[in-house]
């Protein structure tokens, strides 16, 4: 073997070893773990029973046919105190799972039987999906109950329109292995999500609102792979100058093409999810077809209730999340609305309207409007379980 052939052979070997090491690093593979799982616990869909919603057994599967009154569905099964660390890889398969639903894993442990833990899972796409539970801090101790929960995608789907029947085919818990960890990495790369009210182009979990633990993202792994390729070419093939620049351009182009195809696939999924939600609705009526149906209903009711008030009347809103506050203000436009904050409310003039949504504060007690340690004279205009309208009054009233 001459020197050139030896250099090429060394380059190929280094490339294979480097690619394998990179994949093992990205997947978190422990070289001491077995290639395939040593322990497996298979749970056919027929073993699960509906906790919320309706379902029927079909051979070895479970067909979920209808949601509960709050559009939430849950299927669960009891386990004989399975040790969490012994079965940290979850495999699951659903058929006909709609793009308008989110999927979560729920479980109880023997150490905290009254607490239900919940983990967001990659949405099924008709193939078996894999998730590494060892990354989840709450997956500890003995698991006594396991289940899957589904609910309409937040901020995208009207709850009443999110559900479509689907089939839970099977789930499997298995011990950590090379195959399980690598499958988890590749499934995280092909996971698809609909539009969210956050940055749609960011790569990292902090920017996308995705706080579920997972391996490095595909663009990062490809960037490391390109860097390693160029380093091997420089050191082993002795590429310099124009030849190295051509290789760098070609490698970067291929990496970008792979990323672009992945992004295009994700964009296609988003468009299909949008079509599932909006496709059958005429464009002129889409503005009335909103995900937060309850908020819009309350906003229209608020407009009607305050129709006799002057346009300058200040309306302050209290809700559990900034999203709820902003959406209620949006739906109730053009009312003169703002956020209920302590400093502003303390100096609000008599006649100021205070609106409560899905929260236990503010409240009226003995003719006083109370919230966050602040007490102001007030009266109730309207009171519902999840909604209240109050007015700040003068001290003499």
């Amino acid at each position: 073997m001459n020197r050139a052939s030896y250099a090429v052979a060394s380059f190929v070997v280094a490339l294979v070893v480097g690619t394998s090491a990179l994949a093992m690093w990205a997947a978190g593979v422990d070289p001491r773990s077995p290639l395939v799982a040593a322990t497996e616990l298979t749970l056919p869909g027929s073993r699960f029973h509906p906790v919320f919603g309706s379902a029927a057994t079909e051979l070895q599967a479970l067909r979920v046919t209808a949601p509960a009154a709050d559009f939430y569905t849950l299927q669960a099964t009891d386990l004989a105190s399975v040790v969490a660390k012994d079965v940290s890889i979850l495999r699951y398969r659903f058929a006909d799972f709609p793009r308008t639903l989110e999927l979560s894993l729920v479980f109880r442990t023997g150490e905290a039987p009254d607490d239900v833990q919940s983990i967001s899972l990659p949405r099924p796409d008709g193939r078996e999906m894999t998730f590494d539970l060892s990354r989840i801090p709450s997956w500890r101790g003995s698991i006594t109950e396991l289940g899957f929960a589904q609910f309409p995608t937040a901020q995208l789907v009207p709850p009443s329109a999110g559900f479509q029947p689907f089939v839970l085919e099977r789930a499997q818990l298995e011990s950590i292995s090379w195959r399980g960890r690598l499958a988890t990495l590749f499934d995280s790369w092909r996971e698809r999500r609909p539009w969210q009210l956050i940055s749609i182009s960011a790569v990292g979990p902090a920017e996308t609102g995705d706080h579920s633990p997972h391996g490095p993202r595909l663009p990062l792994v490809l960037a490391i792979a390109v860097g390693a390729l160029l380093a091997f070419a420089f050191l082993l093939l002795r590429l310099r100058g124009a030849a190295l620049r051509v290789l760098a351009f070609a490698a970067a182009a291929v990496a970008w093409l792979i990323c672009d195809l992945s992004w295009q696939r994700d964009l296609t999924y988003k468009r299909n999810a949008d079509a599932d939600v909006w496709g059958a609705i005429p464009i002129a009526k889409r503005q009335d077809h909103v995900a937060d149906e309850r908020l819009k209903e309350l906003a229209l009711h608020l407009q009607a209730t305050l129709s006799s008030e002057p346009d300058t009347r200040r309306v302050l809103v209290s809700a559990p999340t900034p999203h709820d506050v902003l959406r209620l203000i949006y739906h109730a436009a053009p009312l003169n609305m703002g956020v209920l904050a302590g400093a502003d409310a303390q100096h609000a003039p008599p006649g100021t309207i205070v609106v409560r949504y899905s929260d236990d504060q503010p409240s009226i007690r003995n003719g006083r409007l109370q919230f966050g340690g602040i007490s102001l004279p007030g009266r109730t205009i309207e009171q519902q379980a999840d909604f209240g309208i109050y007015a700040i009054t003068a001290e003499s009233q």
Side-chain angles (χ1 to χ4, degrees):
M1 179 181 292
N2 57 37
R3 184 173 181 178
S5 299
Y6 179 80
V8 171
S10 300
F11 174 76
V12 171
V13 170
L15 203 59
V16 171
V17 173
T19 301
S20 301
L22 179 60
M24 291 174 62
W25 166 78
V29 173
D30 184 345
R32 296 168 297 179
S33 60
L35 294 178
V36 296
T39 303
E40 294 181 352
L41 173 62
T42 301
L43 305 170
S46 56
R47 176 167 170 170
F48 292 80
H49 63 273
V51 180
F52 299 110
S54 302
T57 301
E58 291 185 354
L59 299 178
Q60 293 296 307
L62 184 73
R63 174 171 290 276
V64 181
T65 55
D70 58 356
F71 311 108
Y72 180 86
T73 51
L74 171 64
Q75 310 84 44
T77 185
D78 294 329
L79 300 178
S81 297
V82 174
V83 179
K85 66 181 180 63
D86 292 343
V87 283
S88 297
I89 300 296
L90 170 69
R91 295 180 181 274
Y92 55 96
R93 182 191 292 272
F94 286 76
D96 304 323
F97 195 85
R99 285 182 284 256
T100 51
L101 291 182
E102 296 283 346
L103 177 67
S104 292
L105 178 75
V106 295
F107 61 91
R108 296 180 192 268
T109 64
E111 292 72 20
D114 295 330
D115 294 335
V116 178
Q117 306 293 332
S118 177
I119 302 167
S120 180
L121 293 176
R123 185 181 285 101
D125 60 359
R127 292 176 289 181
E128 186 174 70
M129 302 292 291
T130 310
F131 189 85
D132 186 359
L133 295 168
S134 66
R135 299 175 182 268
I136 306 300
S138 56
W139 187 257
R140 297 292 182 269
S142 59
I143 309 301
T144 59
E145 187 177 13
L146 188 79
F148 293 97
Q150 304 82 25
F151 46 91
T153 303
Q155 305 173 3
L156 175 71
V157 182
S160 60
F163 181 84
Q164 296 293 330
F166 59 89
V167 177
L168 168 55
E169 295 186 341
R170 65 188 293 268
Q172 181 170 301
L173 294 170
E174 61 183 43
S175 56
I176 292 176
S177 65
W178 285 44
R179 186 187 72 164
R181 282 278 172 84
L182 290 171
T184 296
L185 176 67
F186 296 140
D187 283 348
S188 71
W189 286 349
R190 65 185 178 93
E191 179 185 3
R192 299 293 171 250
R193 293 185 177 274
W195 299 112
Q196 301 175 7
L197 298 182
I198 50 177
S199 169
I200 62 173
S201 59
V203 173
E207 292 82 3
T208 61
D210 176 14
H211 299 294
S212 298
H214 46 64
R217 295 298 189 185
L218 179 61
L220 174 62
V221 175
L222 287 174
I224 296 174
V226 169
L229 173 67
L230 297 180
F232 293 151
F234 181 85
L235 296 173
L236 300 176
L237 295 182
R238 306 284 184 179
L239 291 187
R240 302 291 188 274
L244 188 61
R245 288 194 296 271
V246 169
L247 179 62
F249 177 81
V254 170
W256 178 264
L257 179 61
I258 293 173
C259 288
D260 191 61
L261 291 174
S262 177
W263 293 330
Q264 286 296 324
R265 182 168 175 259
D266 190 56
L267 178 60
T268 299
Y269 181 90
K270 286 175 165 60
R271 295 180 64 181
N272 290 336
D274 284 350
D276 290 345
V277 178
W278 311 102
I281 302 172
I283 293 178
K285 296 183 178 180
R286 290 182 183 178
Q287 65 180 3
D288 299 322
H289 193 71
V290 295
D292 44 9
E293 293 174 319
R294 178 59 175 164
L295 278 174
K296 182 167 185 178
E297 174 188 334
L298 293 175
L300 295 177
H301 177 70
L302 181 64
Q303 287 179 327
T305 303
L306 303 181
S307 59
S308 61
E309 297 287 340
D311 294 340
T312 56
R313 179 70 71 205
R314 189 62 169 161
V315 181
L316 303 178
V317 180
S318 173
T321 67
H323 172 264
D324 291 336
V325 172
L326 293 175
R327 290 295 288 174
L328 189 56
I329 292 175
Y330 172 80
H331 287 312
L335 291 180
N336 182 22
M337 302 182 72
V339 181
L340 178 65
D344 295 337
Q346 276 186 314
H347 302 289
T352 299
I353 303 298
V354 175
V355 176
R356 171 187 62 83
Y357 169 68
S358 188
D359 211 343
D360 57 358
Q361 291 190 12
S363 61
I364 293 287
R365 297 178 185 174
N366 300 321
R368 307 289 295 184
L369 182 66
Q370 300 179 356
F371 63 96
I374 296 174
S375 177
L376 297 170
R379 63 182 178 87
T380 300
I381 298 176
E382 181 177 332
Q383 177 84 15
Q384 300 181 27
D386 64 343
F387 186 66
I389 306 175
Y390 314 99
I392 297 176
T393 60
E395 285 287 353
S396 59
Q397 288 185 270

